[in-house]
Amino acid sequence: SDLPLYTFKVAGEDCAEESIFYQKPPETSFLLNLLLGQWENRMNRGLFRYDVTTCKTKIIPGGYSFIVQLNEGRHLKKRPTEFRVDQVLQDFDEKKFNFTKVGQEEVLFMFEQSDDCYSHFFPSAPAIFKPTSPNVVAIN
């Protein structure tokens, strides 16, 4: 099956600025816009209930530029829980918490390291799952 794919340049990877193929890596805003756009697409299709485009979003400065949001009230709009949580520390039960229940249409995109010095977005790419790489992002 095919899924959207975002490839990223690894920090510290050598890319000669004098190379004719060198481009300044895209701003973090590209990834932020991609995340929000993909989320909004799923929301418009009735797959997600919570509108993250209305939440205050920040990019944490540093080497990774994490994108963070405070999603107040999210607990009121999330998918109903199929089971009851009785304790904060419960034994793991794969029948209760299982990401294999996520439908393919809910996957925003896969993450992979880029083969070159650029970040790319491909709307459709073969979903080849590598056991050593957690390359699917499903934020919900």
Side-chain angles (χ1 to χ4, degrees):
S1 63
D2 288 350
L3 293 169
L5 171 65
Y6 175 79
T7 63
F8 57 91
K9 175 191 173 291
V10 175
E13 190 174 297
D14 281 339
C15 291
E17 288 193 44
E18 59 273 5
S19 166
I20 61 169
F21 299 108
Y22 177 80
Q23 290 180 346
K24 182 180 178 185
E27 298 294 323
T28 306
S29 62
F30 173 76
L31 181 56
L32 175 59
N33 289 334
L34 176 63
L35 277 168
L36 296 178
Q38 293 286 62
W39 187 281
E40 191 170 27
N41 171 281
R42 300 321 186 278
M43 201 177 85
N44 290 337
R45 291 166 43 196
L47 298 170
F48 296 168
R49 294 184 180 101
Y50 193 78
D51 186 3
V52 297
T53 63
T54 62
C55 301
K56 186 172 182 176
T57 303
K58 288 187 178 184
I59 298 172
I60 298 176
Y64 295 105
S65 300
F66 288 110
I67 300 169
V68 296
Q69 286 188 334
L70 173 60
N71 303 137
E72 295 182 89
R74 182 186 178 280
H75 67 287
L76 301 172
K77 296 184 180 180
K78 69 179 186 141
R79 175 183 305 155
T81 306
E82 297 175 13
F83 58 90
R84 184 170 175 209
V85 177
D86 299 323
Q87 303 169 2
V88 174
L89 295 174
Q90 287 187 210
D91 290 332
F92 178 74
D93 184 346
E94 67 181 34
K95 294 177 187 145
K96 292 181 178 179
F97 186 80
N98 187 341
F99 276 113
T100 63
K101 293 180 181 181
V102 174
Q104 181 173 330
E105 66 277 3
E106 294 182 63
V107 175
L108 299 181
F109 51 85
M110 301 180 291
F111 267 117
E112 282 185 12
Q113 181 177 333
S114 179
D115 291 333
D116 56 25
C117 293
Y118 312 102
S119 295
H120 304 277
F121 178 69
F122 304 98
S124 182
I128 301 170
F129 298 101
K130 302 169 188 168
T132 58
S133 175
N135 64 346
V136 176
V137 177
I139 305 173
N140 193 355

